[in-house]
Amino acid sequence: EHSGHLPYQLSGGLRQRVAFLRTCMTGSPVLLLDEPFASLDAITRIQLQDWLGIITREMKLSIIFVTHDIDEAINLADEIWVMQGPPGGFGETYFLRASDREEPTRSSLKKEILSQVEAGLAPVN
């Protein structure tokens, strides 16, 4: 349906799918994705998160995923590493279980991660 289109003629969601597939085709077992859904609308974001999960499971890929969206991290990650402010180290690491994605655990986990992020951004005297 879109095979004859040039990249600029595709929607943001289709361009992102093409970028993911191009990245998957490199043959690397690890993908590094930096804010890959940031410019997408909410519905397309959810669709692409689901789609990327399917592709990475089928291709047995690992992803290092950088995001500022805590909900996105909880939805997609097996592990969450919270980055600290300058000089750019890591704070807490969270190993997620399926139950962590369900309420009320999800809300408390989100609050805990947010407090870690805020603590890491505080100026050090």
Side-chain angles (χ1 to χ4, degrees), residues 1-3 9 12 14 25 32-33 35-36 38 41-42 45 47 60 63 65 72 75 78-79 81 83 110:
E1 172 182 340
H2 300 286
S3 62
Q9 296 171 314
L14 284 174
M25 299 309 289
L32 175 58
L33 303 177
E35 297 280 350
D41 64 85
R45 176 186 294 237
Q47 290 171 339
K60 296 180 176 42
I63 297 177
F65 189 94
E72 188 169 74
N75 287 340
D78 295 324
E79 295 178 28
W81 296 10
M83 288 196 70
K110 184 176 178 178

Side-chain angles (χ1 to χ4, degrees), residues 49-88:
Q49 289 170 350
D50 292 344
W51 181 81
L52 184 62
I54 292 166
I55 294 295
T56 55
R57 279 189 300 277
E58 286 179 1
M59 296 182 74
K60 296 180 176 42
L61 300 172
S62 295
I63 297 177
I64 298 172
F65 189 94
V66 177
T67 183
H68 289 89
D69 186 327
I70 296 171
D71 286 313
E72 188 169 74
I74 292 170
N75 287 340
L76 298 175
D78 295 324
E79 295 178 28
I80 296 175
W81 296 10
V82 179
M83 288 196 70
Q84 302 293 307

